[in-house]
Amino acid sequence: MRDIGEVKCDRGFMNCSISVQTEDFDVGAEIDALTAGRADIGAMVSFVGYVREFNLQDGVTALELEHYPGMTERSLEAIARRAMMRWPLTGVRIIHRYGRLHPSDRIVTVLTASAHRQAAFEANTFIMDYLKSEAPFWKKEHRGQQAAWVQARKSDLQALARWA
């Protein structure tokens, strides 16, 4: 059974969609879907985030992500809309996973398309900075039998501040 919360945030010619899901994703297939039949895209920037075996300490065996269905999708859509208002984007695709993930599992992908590369790069970084700091996800790291909630990092908040 698929467990996906999905939002389409179309704005005129803008192609935007958000998915929050437990299952893995195929980045190549997502790029193909976003660019299919499009001659207005000159640049596509993709970011893929993975679970690391370390964070503040080594030995991470799993990362557990929780969210509020509905609220999370709306929050991600609002972040995408901010990017669409700031840069001339022709497409945005955000997929964020939740549940129990293990080192080397994909957590998130952000795809941004534009006629020009600078807009695609900047918008992608903007979206990721906001996802790290404002998206309503709660993360718990597991190290063997121990688990601890992950707190926001000062560096993530500093990255977000540059967009003000």
Side-chain angles (χ1 to χ4, degrees):
M1 179 175 153
R2 297 185 72 178
D3 190 8
I4 298 177
E6 188 163 356
V7 173
K8 298 283 185 197
C9 44
D10 294 326
R11 182 186 68 145
F13 64 89
M14 181 62 205
N15 181 14
C16 173
S17 66
I18 312 296
S19 297
V20 179
Q21 61 192 48
T22 55
E23 62 199 30
D24 197 6
F25 49 85
D26 179 336
V27 179
E30 295 297 335
I31 291 171
D32 290 346
L34 187 60
T35 60
R38 304 285 300 275
D40 59 337
I41 295 174
M44 168 69 65
V45 172
S46 64
F47 172 84
V48 180
Y50 295 86
V51 177
R52 296 180 302 231
E53 63 183 359
F54 64 91
N55 187 24
L56 298 176
Q57 299 176 12
D58 289 340
V60 173
T61 56
L63 182 64
E64 190 174 345
L65 292 99
E66 296 181 6
H67 78 294
Y68 284 121
M71 182 177 94
T72 301
E73 291 83 356
R74 286 189 303 275
S75 175
L76 298 182
E77 179 187 10
I79 292 167
R81 285 186 182 279
R82 281 190 226 157
M84 293 184 300
M85 292 172 63
R86 199 166 176 156
W87 289 277
L89 300 176
T90 55
V92 173
R93 177 72 169 124
I94 301 172
I95 302 172
H96 204 300
R97 295 177 67 193
Y98 69 94
R100 191 176 181 101
L101 303 172
H102 298 93
S104 78
D105 286 348
R106 287 181 282 261
I107 302 172
V108 61
T109 192
V110 175
L111 307 176
T112 51
S114 181
H116 304 284
R117 66 184 161 90
Q118 192 66 32
F121 274 113
E122 289 177 4
N124 199 289
T125 301
F126 173 91
I127 290 170
M128 273 310 305
D129 285 347
Y130 273 87
L131 284 178
K132 289 282 290 179
S133 300
E134 290 194 355
F137 287 97
W138 294 270
K139 299 175 184 177
K140 186 188 291 185
E141 278 187 351
H142 295 269
R143 280 183 214 85
Q145 299 300 319
Q146 298 178 333
W149 292 102
V150 177
Q151 301 298 316
R153 291 181 184 208
K154 186 177 180 181
S155 60
D156 292 334
L157 298 175
Q158 290 169 337
L160 187 64
R162 71 182 159 158
W163 300 110

